[in-house]
Amino acid sequence: LAVGAAALGGLPHVTKATFNATVGATPLALVAFTAPWCGHCQKLHPELETASAELLGDGVTVVEIDATLERRLAEQFEVKAFPELLVFRRDLDTYAKYTGARSAQGIVQHMRARRGPACAPLSGASEAWLSPAATEQQQQPATLHVLVEQAEADAAGALSFETAERALEHLRVQVLCATPAGEPIPLSARVRLRFARAFPSAAASAGSSSVANPPVGVYGGADEEKALLRWMTMLARPAVGELTDQSARMYVGMRDTGVAILMLPPPLLGRVERQREFYTQQLLEVAQTTQLLQGPTVFLTWAHSTSRIGQQLVKDYPLDPNAPTLLILDFTKRARKPAGHRQEGPFDVRSAIAHVAAFKAGDLSIPATFFENKLEALGEWFEYFFLLVVDQPVEIAAVGVGVFGALFFASRYLDRYLDAGVAAAPAAKVKKEK
């Protein structure tokens, strides 16, 4: 390490003066921004020490920075919470948030997976790389395989390879990227991204022949690191997952998305795992068929009606807690409570595919509230009156003059009637006293 990096309990402690020389001197570095008063930082410190010792032979450096003393350095990298872990490469311009487990074993596995380029050349055929289900990756069913190929400068969906590399650096563990065998692609080249998602091979035994050969898609978004990163982040999520208080952060609330929730009835004693496996395979087939359809991304999840989040959904939406029911929460529009699209009839794969496809196509209507219905009726009345004025201005003017004249003469009549009544009241009173 560079001179000036002080050791704190066996772990290099870096300052702003030694940051460039220390972190920039290694191909890969994990930088932990901590604070002395942070309890989570104190628990993390021994894990970082153990990981640093194991990674020493891999050319990976683990350092710690006291963010309360090095405030400018923390502000430079937008550190807002502690501990904040960032992964740096030698150029110091390419860094990403650490997303692995905060244990020594998790840190070692994560950093070793980040060694080498984000996209390495293939040794075999490209099409085999885009058939991830054939590799039987049951431990990582959400792995996204991305193939980066050179493209014409004006090709649809083309982007710079440098933009792709920077975005892929953030998702080195969740996304597996490769380039075709042969000469490496220069960073300045224009490329296109083809992708396929790895589904558990067990899904092939659920009766779907299409699961064994997942469809291949092409990225067609903007040539921006932020847009590409968001696209990969959504696709890298598990294809099907249980909706719990912890996993809800992964699925719920993302802008321009939908969350399909299969509400399951209370399982029979001893059949929890069997029920979970059965419906997971069915949802995997739905995800396999609908993932490449045009429209907003739809996350497929399931929950038991007896769970805390299941009870809340049953309360907020008209769901039968004793029958499997598919509900899609709509986050494509801003609202305090997302609209819910419930699938009519009993749940099955074919009807679920149709329901998700209809949502992605925008064919599911959102039930209006009482106030919205009144506003719509008022708007229709004003529209009718405006069209009537435009089409028949003479007739409308005549009607307006007639109504005004009738109201004018009626008001004059009422005024005279009331004046006569007020004048007659004292005379009647005098006559009564006599």
Side-chain angles (χ1 to χ4, degrees):
L1 293 176
V3 178
L8 182 64
L11 193 67
H13 197 76
V14 177
T15 65
K16 184 174 178 58
T18 61
F19 180 82
N20 289 351
T22 304
V23 178
T26 179
L28 192 64
L30 177 66
V31 179
F33 288 88
T34 60
W37 45 261
C38 172
H40 294 290
C41 302
Q42 296 170 7
K43 293 180 181 179
L44 179 64
H45 186 80
E47 303 294 335
L48 291 172
E49 286 185 325
T50 304
S52 178
E54 290 192 34
L55 291 169
L56 194 60
D58 297 295
V60 179
T61 301
V62 181
V63 300
E64 185 177 4
I65 295 177
D66 187 344
T68 61
L69 299 177
E70 306 296 332
R71 294 183 179 179
R72 290 186 178 179
L73 202 57
E75 291 175 357
Q76 179 181 345
F77 298 107
E78 300 180 351
V79 175
K80 299 178 181 179
F82 305 114
E84 180 76 282
L85 279 68
L86 301 178
V87 180
F88 285 84
R89 293 203 169 272
R90 191 188 300 273
D91 59 4
L92 299 180
D93 291 329
T94 304
Y95 68 93
K97 286 190 176 183
Y98 173 83
T99 56
R102 294 185 177 182
S103 62
Q105 183 181 3
I107 293 171
V108 170
Q109 292 178 351
H110 186 94
M111 297 306 292
R112 284 176 176 169
R114 283 184 174 271
R115 293 179 300 177
C119 294
L122 290 172
S123 57
S126 299
E127 298 307 318
W129 172 256
L130 291 175
S131 299
T135 62
E136 297 187 359
Q137 293 184 354
Q138 302 217 22
Q139 295 182 350
Q140 288 186 318
T143 300
L144 181 67
H145 281 211
V146 175
L147 182 67
V148 180
E149 303 170 310
Q150 281 196 259
E152 298 294 334
D154 57 348
L159 66 159
S160 68
F161 187 34
E162 184 176 7
T163 300
E165 279 255 321
R166 288 183 178 276
L168 287 160
E169 184 64 34
H170 291 270
L171 298 172
R172 289 286 294 270
V173 178
Q174 300 96 322
V175 177
L176 301 180
C177 179
T179 58
E183 293 294 325
I185 301 176
L187 287 177
S188 59
R190 303 291 291 179
V191 297
R192 71 165 184 166
L193 273 59
R194 290 201 294 157
F195 67 93
R197 205 171 184 179
F199 286 83
S201 60
S205 62
S208 172
S209 59
S210 63
V211 176
N213 297 300
V216 177
V218 180
Y219 174 73
D223 185 6
E224 298 175 358
E225 179 182 343
K226 186 177 181 180
L228 180 60
L229 181 61
R230 185 176 188 274
W231 170 78
M232 288 191 299
T233 300
M234 290 194 292
L235 284 177
R237 279 169 167 75
V240 174
E242 182 180 5
L243 190 64
T244 63
D245 293 338
Q246 292 74 29
S247 66
R249 299 179 180 178
M250 186 188 304
Y251 298 110
V252 177
M254 288 192 68
R255 188 164 43 100
D256 299 328
T257 63
V259 180
I261 307 167
L262 177 60
M263 190 62 60
L264 299 179
L268 298 176
L269 187 63
R271 295 189 179 182
V272 178
E273 289 299 324
R274 184 177 298 180
Q275 183 197 54
R276 178 181 303 174
E277 292 177 3
F278 175 77
Y279 285 109
T280 296
Q281 298 307 323
Q282 292 203 325
L283 288 176
L284 280 170
E285 189 169 348
V286 176
Q288 178 79 43
T289 308
T290 60
Q291 67 168 339
L292 296 183
L293 297 177
Q294 293 294 327
T297 301
V298 177
F299 303 122
L300 290 162
T301 64
W302 60 269
H304 283 294
S305 59
T306 54
S307 65
R308 198 191 72 84
I309 198 166
Q311 292 175 354
Q312 187 65 42
L313 288 169
V314 170
K315 179 182 178 181
D316 292 343
Y317 301 92
L319 301 177
D320 184 359
N322 298 313
T325 307
L326 186 67
L327 173 73
I328 298 181
L329 298 183
D330 187 352
F331 292 98
T332 60
K333 298 177 179 62
R334 292 186 178 182
R336 293 186 61 184
K337 175 184 174 182
H341 305 284
R342 185 185 60 181
Q343 175 190 331
E344 299 297 334
F347 171 81
D348 62 80
V349 173
R350 181 174 297 179
S351 58
I353 291 174
H355 191 61
V356 174
F359 173 78
K360 292 174 76 76
D363 294 336
L364 297 183
S365 60
I366 301 176
T369 63
F370 175 81
F371 183 66
E372 290 172 337
N373 287 328
K374 293 300 181 184
L375 284 179
E376 184 179 359
L378 186 61
E380 291 177 354
W381 186 88
F382 275 117
E383 182 181 2
Y384 169 76
F385 181 75
F386 176 77
L387 292 176
L388 192 63
V389 171
V390 172
D391 293 338
Q392 300 176 342
V394 178
E395 290 82 352
I396 292 297
V399 171
V401 171
V403 171
F404 177 78
L407 292 175
F408 176 77
F409 287 111
S411 63
R412 292 296 298 264
Y413 175 77
L414 288 175
D415 287 342
R416 291 180 180 179
Y417 178 79
L418 292 175
D419 290 343
V422 171
K429 184 177 182 181
V430 173
K431 185 177 181 180
K432 184 176 180 181
E433 290 177 352
K434 287 182 178 180

